[in-house]
Amino acid sequence: MISCIYFVQSNREYHALMSFLLDGDANISGISYLIFSEDVKSTDGRVFHTSNGYLMAVNFLSHTSDIQGKITIVGLNPNSLVDLYEIACEDANPQTKAITITESAESIILDKELETFIADRHFKFSDGSILTIPAISRKRRI
């Protein structure tokens, strides 16, 4: 099992990601949201930048080793996908690193809570789009 973070850059990308994740063939579980207030860097040097002070990521568990290939097939950016343990962080201890990373962000589980967070902070993605919850997500995760 791989703990993944996908950094979302637009509402369109968010809808495509959620369609993929909630498709029964994806073999995914434990979907939640992380909202970072600072740029996030991966250990391979990639940097994910905030937009208007926030960076949204979808955190999930993948039960397949080829998640990056599957993401690419459905048209999502494989460079936006990072293993949770590949996020650069001052905590090098593998037993506590994931906790340190997730505690550095606003952690949200329910779609209604995400909608409220986004509305309260007037969040927009870097392309100017505003997050909307897709119908497939509303059916399964409210």
Side-chain angles (χ1 to χ4, degrees):
M1 187 166 21
I2 303 165
S3 185
C4 300
I5 296 180
Y6 188 95
F7 292 96
V8 182
Q9 301 300 313
S10 71
N11 189 54
R12 182 203 56 77
E13 185 178 45
Y14 171 70
H15 279 248
L17 177 64
M18 294 311 289
S19 291
F20 168 73
L21 294 178
L22 295 174
D23 176 2
D25 296 334
N27 208 7
I28 301 295
S29 65
I31 299 170
S32 64
Y33 307 101
L34 297 173
I35 310 291
F36 295 91
S37 58
E38 296 180 356
D39 294 348
V40 176
K41 186 176 182 179
S42 67
T43 56
D44 65 6
R46 288 179 284 168
V47 178
F48 302 93
H49 297 284
T50 62
S51 174
N52 297 318
Y54 297 103
L55 173 63
M56 181 182 155
V58 178
N59 185 27
F60 59 92
L61 299 173
S62 173
H63 303 279
T64 180
S65 60
D66 189 26
I67 187 66
Q68 197 162 16
K70 289 184 177 193
I71 290 240
T72 303
I73 289 170
V74 298
L76 292 165
N77 183 354
N79 292 323
S80 293
L81 181 69
V82 180
D83 184 313
L84 178 66
Y85 293 95
E86 292 176 3
I87 298 293
C89 149
E90 69 280 351
D91 188 350
N93 182 342
Q95 294 179 335
T96 57
K97 183 175 183 173
I99 294 168
T100 301
I101 293 166
T102 56
E103 285 182 347
S104 71
E106 178 84 24
S107 185
I108 300 171
I109 296 173
L110 300 175
D111 292 335
K112 281 187 167 213
E113 292 173 0
L114 179 63
E115 272 184 315
T116 300
F117 181 92
I118 296 300
D120 288 350
R121 287 160 180 86
H122 307 288
F123 174 84
K124 289 184 182 180
F125 290 105
S126 57
D127 71 349
S129 62
I130 298 171
L131 181 132
T132 60
I133 303 297
I136 189 169
S137 191
R138 287 192 184 282
K139 290 180 186 175
R140 297 185 58 183
R141 302 206 52 206
I142 292 185

